[in-house]
Structures are given as structure tokens and as C-alpha cells.
């Protein structure tokens, strides 16, 4: 910053410089992190990727990992799922972008982000250097966008998975989301699976706002999905009784948080049941929606999830992913499970 | 930026302060990291609370010896009503210090502190730092009513140059802070203005300060879901050093911004020239 104000400007510049370099800590992060394992095998497999434990962050709720590293080591959890990245920089929607709702919130961020190039050059290496395992969430308005993104991620450091966010609107189809239709879901997942590094599993992120989530899940697995992420937010809205207008600038937004957990557990249970029934091939499910405690995470695992993502609750408790991991470990041990694997889908027995 | 801590804080003091409440929190490890302009994110209720989002408050005072931080807050809605019910001995979960604080001059300057309502909360510690560095300060404190002024006595303990305004004339000069501001800036030959208060006020103060060739730093209040930089709810259109406008996060890149870099008139819109606006047309 050059403004002829001498020390003043320097100070000001320093403040910002420090801020950008969030990874350069004077103090080490809190040393409360327990190594995975601890008397029980928590490892879980998503396609060809073996994660040391099943707790991940949900896309859009952990940035690109850097900010949360002030609260816990990215490597302590199974994986960091990044905010959905698109081909080009995106401003996102106008503010206000959020409204608090009972045990949850609505958001209409609109996928603000720097675009794939800045992400691959700047954010991804930081996470990899920190030992984090990264599942990169990607989205686009056309199948071609997904293909370009998956191609760009080939050979990128630290990437242990690609999550195709098919729950965002499809341009070609005038704004309908891909995940509302088995055929469009199939097309995206097929195209991503075809071009992505064969060593990297592809997950399909599904929307709960559909008539039959099993139909969409089956289409994705038939298209080659190595796993399913469930669920994205539910479409909702809030109206301010004082202004008598919608609260969000985007009018509608995505509902998340503990309020949606029963819907999410139901989705995971239904799809896992369909797999057990032989209606579709069995692939790992990453369960999410309102996970706040280790017992909430356990609920998803009993319903059939092989891993879980913590989203909105991070806003309440930035260290929650490691807390939930510790609580989950204790809950599994207390119930006599010798491994995470033994608990997956237990509610179906 | 200081590394924030998440701790369980005990309420060790509470008192009414005009239309507001002042809380003193014993928050181990936090006070020593606080710079003027930092804020604290306070959880509402315990681990089962239906109010998931933390509430943000400027840190009014930090006392490293006593390990306490103070906040001054207004009862605005459900969450702050809940906070107002806390008693000495209760505890709350806090994350602090957060945000990019006010830049300090680091050399003697003539500074004017402009605040609306509880917006004065972070200003006294800042003023004391500027005075300690050999500079001088003046205050223009405004509010809707006399009751909603905060800390006029604290300002007067630092300097004689304190101007008070109220919208209804119940104390001091009737009208907005921007009424007497030009005169104050001229009188003290201000080098820099620090401002905290509602968006409209910050915009107006930025205009006045710029017209007087004073630097201006503003602390904004945007709705925040996370306070730590991961959710992207708190963005404002801000012009970067490279001349490119971006939606930047007021929780980590702010809340203290160079007022002349914030595109006040465009807050709440998607300016066509903001980085990434083109991609929004598509879907
Ligand atoms: C950096 C920063 C510093 C602040 N400092 C102070 C302070 O020192 N003293 C003080 O009284 N207030 C301060 N505020 C405003 C304070 O955070 C809100 O008044 C408070 O969150 C309202 O919560 P509520 O539950 O009463 O209202 P509700 O309307 O029930 O809150 C619902 C949601 O909206 C958010 N919200 C509502 N109003 C505001 C607002 N004005 N600003 C930001 N978010 C809002 C809440 O955080 C919550 O997530 C500050 C805000 C920010 C961002
Ligand atoms: C602020 C916010 C931003 C989100 N952004 C994305 C995103 O970019 N991509 C995505 O696939 N899901 C996104 N989600 C959805 C979450 O990843 C998750 O699926 C959903 O919130 C349910 O989990 P939760 O209740 O634990 O938050 C976002 C959610 C929130 C609250
Ligand atoms: S409040 Fe979440 S990014 Fe600023």
C-alpha cells in the first residue's frame, strides 16, 4: 500500500499481510488432537481411498481448510471436503446471504469462489503441505464444466477424492439441478468418472429435494460413482415479519443444521437399504446433515454411512470435527464395536 | 492476525449501561491477544441450543492481568435477549480474538474517533493507545437518544475534545455525527478518522473524512454465520490494492476496513465489475 503515510500505512499493510498468511502461526494449534485409532479401528474406505477415520468437513463449511487450521490440524480428520469449486471466479450472491432458523440456518452464498486455477495453484498445495487429505467438490452449469474441472485436478497434490456437486443448477436445463433427474445425474457422473484420475474416487453429492432419492442414487452408481454424499441442503425460505419481505437477497436458500438431520438420516437409510436389497450396487455413503455430536455421527453410521461430514455445526463450534471424532470413537467403544466397519448399517439388522 | 482461542468464559461482571448491557468475561488466554477492533463470537446457550450461530460483539476492553474481556451489547433479538439473562457465575463459550483490528499509526497523529451508539465500545482502548503513542484524539459520539450514547464519560477521561450528538437533541447537538464532524476535523487538523457504527453512518463519515484529506478506518457490522472465514455470508464489496473489487469477508479481512476501499453504495448488490460477477449471469 503506497500512500505516503509512512509507518501508518506499513502497519495497515502488515495487518492484511498477516491475515492472508493464516498458515504462519506463532503458536501451534491446540494440542488436544488425539491420533486416530485409540483402541478401535476407525479406518474407512471410499473406493480406492483409505481414510484413517470417517470424519470429514462438509463442502462450503470449511473453506479450503486454512481457516480451520487455527482450531485443529487438517490431518487429524479423515479428509477436508473443500467448498465447491467452479471453472471461473464467481462473486456469489448479494447479501444478506443467511438467516438463522430453529436449530439450523438458510444460506444463499451462490458458490462464491476463486475458480479452479487459483484453487489448484494456491489453496490445494497449502492443504497438502499441511498433511491434509482433500476431497475436492466441483460443480458447473454444463457437463463440460465438470469434465474440465476433473481433468484439471489430475495429479494435483493431496487429492483423495472428487465430490461432484450435482445439486447446483444446470444451465442447459434452465436452472433445474442435475440431481433432480436420474438421467442428468448419470450424465455428469459418467463424464467425471471417465476423465478423472482412475486412482481418485468420485462421489456424487445428492439433493434431498427429490421424489425418490434411491432412483437418483442408483443412476449415479450405474454411472460409475465410487460413493454417494448425502445430503445437500433443502430448499427453504424465511420472511422477515418487520420488513414483510424475504430475508435472503436470493429469496430462497438452502436449509442445513440439526433441523434437517431426520431427513438426512432417512435418505441414508433408504439408499443403504436399496443396496442391501440388491436394487443397486453397494458403494460407501458419506452421511451429513446436522451432525453436532458423536452420537449424531453414529446415527448416520448405523443408518449405513461409511463416513460423515460436519457442516453447519462448524459455525457454532469451529473445533467440532475433532470433538465429534473423539465422541464417535468413545460411542463406538461403549457399544462394544471393535471397528467402525462393524457399525456401518447396523440399524438394518 | 492473532490466533483465536475457543474457551468457556465465566461471567465475572455485568451492569446496565444506559440502553445497553456490559458484560465482563474471564476468558483465559484471550485478553493478551486482543488489539483494538477485534471482536468476540459468543455462543448462545449450551450444546443443545436451537440458536446455532454465534453472536459477534466488539471487544470493549481487554485486561490481560485479570484475563478478562468486556463487551457492551444491545438487546436486538432472540440471541442477545438470551445473553442479557446471564448472571455473574454463569459461563458462555467464546471464540476470540477474531477479525483484523484497526491499524495503529505507530507514530504521533491527530485522530478523531466517531461512533454511533454501542459503536463506541472499541474506541476507548484505541484512543488510549494513540495517546500513549504521543498522538492526540477527539471524539464525536452520537446516538438516537441520550440513553443510547455509550461511554461519554470514558471519552472525557481521555480528552477534553468530546462532541456529543443525538438525533432527538436529548443530549448535546441535535442531529447526526456528521453535523459537527467537519468542524472537528478542521479544528484538530485530523490526520485520521476511526469510525464504528451503522453502515449509513460509516459511509457518510468516510465522505467527510476524505473531503478533509484524512485517512479513514471503519469497523463494519455484517451478518456473520461463522465469524472465522469459512462460510462466506459476511461479504462486502471492497476495492483491492490492485484496483479490482471483490466480495471480501468482513469477519477475517475486516471488520476494520479502510473506509475509502469499501463500496458502501453497492453493499447488498452484485456490482457488475466485481470479480466473478460475470459467472453469476450463467446460473
Ligand atoms: C463485528 C461485529 C461487531 C459487533 N459489535 C457489537 C457490539 O459491540 N455491541 C452490540 O450490541 N452489537 C454488536 N454487533 C451486532 C450484534 O452482533 C447483533 O446485534 C446481534 O448478533 C443480534 O443478535 P440477536 O440474536 O439479538 O438478533 P437476531 O435478529 O435474532 O439474530 C439472528 C441472526 O442475525 C445476526 N444479526 C442480527 N443482527 C445483526 C447485526 N446488527 N449485525 C450482525 N449480525 C446480526 C445474528 O448474529 C444472528 O446470527 C456486532 C456485529 C458484528 C458483526
Ligand atoms: C454456508 C453453507 C455453504 C455450503 N456450500 C456448499 C457447497 O459449496 N457445495 C456443496 O456441495 N454443499 C454446500 N453446502 C451444503 C453442506 O455441504 C451440507 O451438505 C449441508 O449443509 C448439510 O449438512 P449440515 O447440516 O451439517 O450443514 C453448504 C452449506 C452451508 C451451510
Ligand atoms: S462469517 Fe463466515 S466467512 Fe465471515
Amino acid at each position: 500500500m503506497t500512500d505516503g503515510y509512512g509507518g501508518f500505512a506499513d502497519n495497515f499493510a502488515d495487518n492484511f499481510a498477516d491475515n492472508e498468511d493464516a498458515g504462519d502461526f506463532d503458536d501451534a494449534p491446540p494440542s488436544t488432537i488425539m491420533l486416530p485409532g485409540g483402541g478401535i479401528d476407525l479406518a474407512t474406505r471410499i473406493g480406492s481411498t483409505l481414510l484413517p477415520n470417517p470424519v470429514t468437513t462438509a463442502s462450503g463449511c470449511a473453506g479450503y481448510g486454512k481457516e480451520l487450521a487455527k482450531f485443529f490440524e487438517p490431518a487429524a480428520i479423515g479428509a477436508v471436503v473443500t467448498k465447491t469449486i467452479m471453472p471461473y471466479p464467481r462473486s456469489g450472491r448479494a447479501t444478506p446471504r443467511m438467516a438463522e432458523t430453529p436449530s439450523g440456518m438458510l444460506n444463499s452464498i451462490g458458490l462464491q469462489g476463486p475458480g479452479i486455477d487459483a484453487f489448484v495453484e494456491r489453496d490445494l498445495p497449502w492443504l497438502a503441505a499441511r498433511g491434509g487429505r482433500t476431497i475436492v467438490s466441483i460443480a458447473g452449469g454444463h457437463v463440460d464444466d465438470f469434465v474440465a474441472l476433473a481433468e484439471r485436478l489430475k495429479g494435483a497434490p493431496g487429492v483423495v477424492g472428487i465430490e461432484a456437486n450435482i445439486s447446483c443448477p444446470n444451465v442447459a436445463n434452465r436452472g433445474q439441478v442435475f440431481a433432480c433427474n436420474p438421467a442428468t445425474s448419470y450424465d455428469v457422473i459418467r463424464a467425471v468418472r471417465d476423465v478423472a484420475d482412475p486412482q481418485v474416487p468420485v462421489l456424487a453429492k445428492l439433493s434431498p429435494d427429490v421424489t425418490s432419492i434411491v432412483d437418483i442414487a442408483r443412476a449415479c452408481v450405474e454411472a460409475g460413482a465410487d460413493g454417494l454424499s448425502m445430503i445437500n441442503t433443502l430448499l427453504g425460505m424465511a420472511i422477515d415479519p418487520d420488513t414483510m419481505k424475504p430475508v435472503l437477497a436470493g429469496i430462497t436458500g438452502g436449509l442445513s443444521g440439526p433441523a434437517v438431520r431426520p431427513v438426512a438420516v432417512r435418505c441414508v437409510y433408504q439408499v443403504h437399504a436399496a443396496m442391501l436389497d440388491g436394487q443397486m450396487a453397494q458403494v460407501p455413503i458419506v452421511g451429513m446433515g446436522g451432525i453436532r455430536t458423536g452420537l449424531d455421527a453414529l446415527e448416520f453410521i448405523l443408518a449405513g454411512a461409511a463416513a460423515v461430514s460436519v457442516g453447519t455445526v462448524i459455525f457454532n463450534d469451529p473445533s467440532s470435527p475433532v470433538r465429534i471424532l473423539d465422541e464417535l470413537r468413545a460411542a463406538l467403544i461403549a457399544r462394544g464395536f471393535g471397528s467402525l466397519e462393524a457399525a456401518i448399517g447396523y440399524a438394518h439388522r | 492476525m492473532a490466533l483465536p482461542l475457543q474457551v468457556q468464559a465465566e461471567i465475572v461482571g455485568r451492569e446496565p449501561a444506559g440502553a445497553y448491557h456490559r458484560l465482563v468475561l474471564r476468558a483465559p488466554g484471550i485478553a493478551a491477544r486482543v488489539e483494538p477492533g477485534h471482536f468476540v463470537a459468543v455462543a448462545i446457550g449450551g450444546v443443545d441450543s436451537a440458536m446455532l450461530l454465534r453472536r459477534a460483539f466488539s471487544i470493549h476492553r481487554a485486561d490481560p492481568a485479570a484475563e478478562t474481556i468486556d463487551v457492551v451489547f444491545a438487546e436486538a433479538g432472540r440471541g442477545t435477549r438470551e445473553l442479557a439473562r446471564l448472571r455473574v457465575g454463569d459461563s458462555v463459550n467464546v471464540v476470540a480474538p477474531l477479525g483484523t483490528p484497526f491499524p495503529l499509526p505507530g507514530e504521533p497523529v491527530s485522530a478523531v474517533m466517531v461512533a454511533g451508539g454501542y459503536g463506541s465500545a472499541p474506541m476507548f482502548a484505541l484512543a488510549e493507545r494513540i495517546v500513549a503513542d504521543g498522538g492526540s484524539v477527539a471524539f464525536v459520539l452520537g446516538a438516537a437518544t441520550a440513553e443510547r450514547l455509550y461511554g461519554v464519560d470514558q471519552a472525557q477521561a481521555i480528552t477534553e475534545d468530546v462532541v456529543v450528538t443525538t438525533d432527538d437533541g436529548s443530549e448535546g447537538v441535535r442531529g447526526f455525527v456528521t453535523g459537527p464532524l467537519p468542524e472537528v476535523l478542521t479544528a484538530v487538523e485530523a490526520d485520521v478518522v476511526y469510525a464504528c457504527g451503522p453502515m449509513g453512518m460509516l459511509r457518510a463519515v468516510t465522505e467527510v473524512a476524505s473531503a478533509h484529506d484524512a485517512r479513514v478506518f471503519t469497523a463494519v457490522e455484517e451478518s456473520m454465520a461463522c465469524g472465522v472465514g469459512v462460510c462466506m455470508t459476511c461479504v462486502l464489496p471492497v476495492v483491492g490494492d490492485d484496483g479490482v473489487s471483490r466480495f471480501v469477508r468482513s469477519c477475517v479481512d475486516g471488520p476494520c476496513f479502510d473506509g475509502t476501499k469499501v463500496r458502501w453504495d453497492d453493499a447488498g448488490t452484485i456490482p457488475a465489475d466485481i470479480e466473478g460477477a460475470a459467472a453469476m449471469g450463467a446460473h
Side-chain angles (χ1 to χ4, degrees):
Chain A
M1 207 167 274
T2 48
D3 60 356
Y5 217 96
F8 202 101
D10 293 345
N11 258 302
F12 191 50
D14 279 355
N15 265 321
F16 280 90
D18 283 0
N19 206 32
E20 265 155 37
D21 200 8
D24 196 14
F25 306 127
D26 299 339
D27 325 44
S31 59
T32 51
I33 297 148
M34 285 171 65
L35 284 171
I40 176 168
D41 184 6
L42 289 179
T44 194
R45 191 168 279 289
I46 313 281
S48 51
T49 290
L50 187 69
L51 299 178
N53 68 66
V55 176
T56 70
T57 58
S59 176
C61 302
Y64 306 109
K66 221 181 206 181
E67 288 80 8
L68 289 184
K70 295 170 194 157
F71 298 94
F72 63 88
E73 268 308 324
I77 58 171
V80 171
V81 182
T82 66
K83 169 130 196 90
T84 296
I85 197 83
M86 312 237 334
Y88 301 106
R90 243 177 103 85
S91 66
R93 294 220 175 83
T95 54
R97 291 175 169 186
M98 69 101 167
E100 191 181 59
T101 59
S103 289
M105 67 178 282
L106 290 164
N107 88 79
S108 66
I109 310 300
L111 298 178
Q112 180 173 344
I116 188 75
D117 290 337
F119 170 75
V120 168
E121 278 149 35
R122 186 187 65 200
D123 303 300
L124 207 44
W126 187 91
L127 258 176
R130 198 87 183 194
R133 289 160 292 274
T134 310
I135 295 176
V136 182
S137 171
I138 60 171
H142 304 268
V143 173
D144 295 351
D145 292 340
F146 283 91
V147 167
L149 290 159
E151 226 146 35
R152 186 78 173 78
L153 288 169
K154 268 187 194 164
V159 178
V160 301
I162 292 176
E163 186 178 89
N165 175 6
I166 53 173
S167 328
C168 78
N170 164 1
V171 181
N173 205 359
R174 279 186 260 108
Q176 221 207 354
V177 304
F178 292 100
C180 283
N181 180 318
T184 48
S185 300
Y186 181 97
D187 289 346
V188 174
I189 299 303
R190 185 64 196 259
V192 171
R193 185 59 287 174
D194 277 353
V195 297
D197 181 342
Q199 295 306 306
V200 173
V202 171
L203 296 144
K205 176 126 177 214
L206 306 187
S207 166
D209 288 335
V210 294
T211 321
S212 166
I213 195 153
V214 170
D215 289 347
I216 311 286
R218 188 192 304 109
C220 291
V221 172
E222 283 170 359
D226 304 287
L228 300 167
S229 296
M230 283 190 267
I231 56 172
N232 213 316
T233 54
L234 286 83
L235 196 61
M237 77 177 285
I239 296 173
D240 182 333
D242 292 325
T243 63
M244 300 194 278
K245 296 267 166 64
V247 175
L248 301 174
I251 302 181
T252 60
L255 180 66
S256 64
V260 310
R261 199 167 67 236
V263 175
V265 172
R266 180 268 296 174
C267 289
V268 171
Y269 188 92
Q270 284 182 334
V271 171
H272 191 74
M275 290 173 184
L276 294 177
D277 261 14
Q279 293 173 45
M280 60 194 279
Q282 196 156 349
V283 299
I285 296 170
V286 182
M288 73 201 76
I291 294 176
R292 189 171 196 169
T293 66
L295 291 184
D296 300 339
L298 179 66
E299 201 182 338
F300 278 87
I301 287 160
L302 298 173
V308 292
S309 294
V310 183
T312 305
V313 162
I314 291 175
F315 308 160
N316 176 266
D317 175 5
S319 35
S320 55
V322 284
R323 172 180 56 77
I324 288 166
L325 173 58
D326 290 344
E327 291 170 356
L328 173 63
R329 178 190 296 111
L332 287 166
I333 292 171
R335 283 157 188 74
F337 289 108
S339 69
L340 171 81
E341 213 188 332
I344 297 171
Y346 195 84
H348 294 266
R349 292 189 197 180
Chain B
M1 176 164 153
L3 193 64
L5 296 179
Q6 182 179 357
V7 302
Q8 203 62 25
E10 188 193 343
I11 314 283
V12 293
R14 70 184 295 273
E15 60 185 33
Y20 310 114
H21 303 270
R22 183 168 150 246
L23 281 185
V24 185
L25 305 166
R26 181 173 296 125
I30 289 177
R33 300 167 187 234
V34 172
E35 298 288 333
H38 272 141
F39 69 95
V40 55
V42 182
I44 308 296
V47 290
D48 292 322
S49 171
M51 281 184 256
L52 271 190
L53 305 180
R54 285 171 184 261
R55 269 53 173 179
F57 305 101
S58 309
I59 296 175
H60 170 233
R61 297 275 182 184
D63 180 345
E67 299 219 281
T68 57
I69 54 173
D70 295 16
V71 295
V72 175
F73 72 92
E75 279 183 59
R78 269 174 318 212
T80 46
R81 265 203 305 280
E82 196 73 20
L83 282 183
R85 286 203 200 103
L86 293 172
R87 295 288 173 268
V88 168
D90 289 347
S91 87
V92 285
N93 196 271
V94 302
V95 179
L98 294 171
T100 299
F102 282 114
L104 287 161
E107 62 186 347
V109 291
S110 169
V112 176
M113 328 300 284
V114 187
Y118 58 74
S120 59
M123 297 306 211
F124 309 108
L126 174 64
E128 286 163 10
R129 285 281 285 274
I130 291 167
V131 171
D133 284 345
S136 61
V137 295
F139 280 89
V140 182
L141 300 178
T145 64
E147 251 224 309
R148 293 214 195 156
L149 288 164
Y150 178 75
V152 175
D153 50 338
Q154 295 181 57
Q156 283 165 343
I158 301 171
T159 174
E160 287 176 357
D161 296 332
V162 180
V163 178
V164 170
T165 67
T166 49
D167 299 359
D168 66 351
S170 55
E171 195 169 328
V173 185
R174 179 189 293 269
F176 295 153
V177 286
T178 39
L181 184 59
E183 219 178 302
V184 173
L185 294 181
T186 307
V188 303
E189 294 179 35
D191 300 308
V192 57
V193 175
Y194 291 98
C196 181
M199 202 77 128
M201 187 202 100
L202 298 179
R203 176 175 154 265
V205 169
T206 298
E207 268 170 29
V208 175
S210 302
H212 280 75
D213 285 330
R215 295 216 56 177
V216 53
F217 297 107
T218 56
V220 303
E221 258 186 27
E222 261 299 326
S223 264
M224 293 179 181
C226 76
V228 299
V230 292
C231 74
M232 313 302 284
T233 57
C234 64
V235 300
L236 272 177
V238 172
V239 186
D241 290 340
D242 54 2
V244 178
S245 295
R246 295 182 181 85
F247 275 146
V248 307
R249 298 163 297 179
S250 50
C251 65
V252 289
D253 302 315
C256 303
F257 288 107
D258 180 334
T260 61
K261 307 278 183 172
V262 179
R263 293 176 55 171
W264 302 105
D265 294 342
D266 297 320
T269 71
I270 306 178
D273 62 336
I274 201 122
E275 185 179 85
M280 297 307 292
H283 48 95

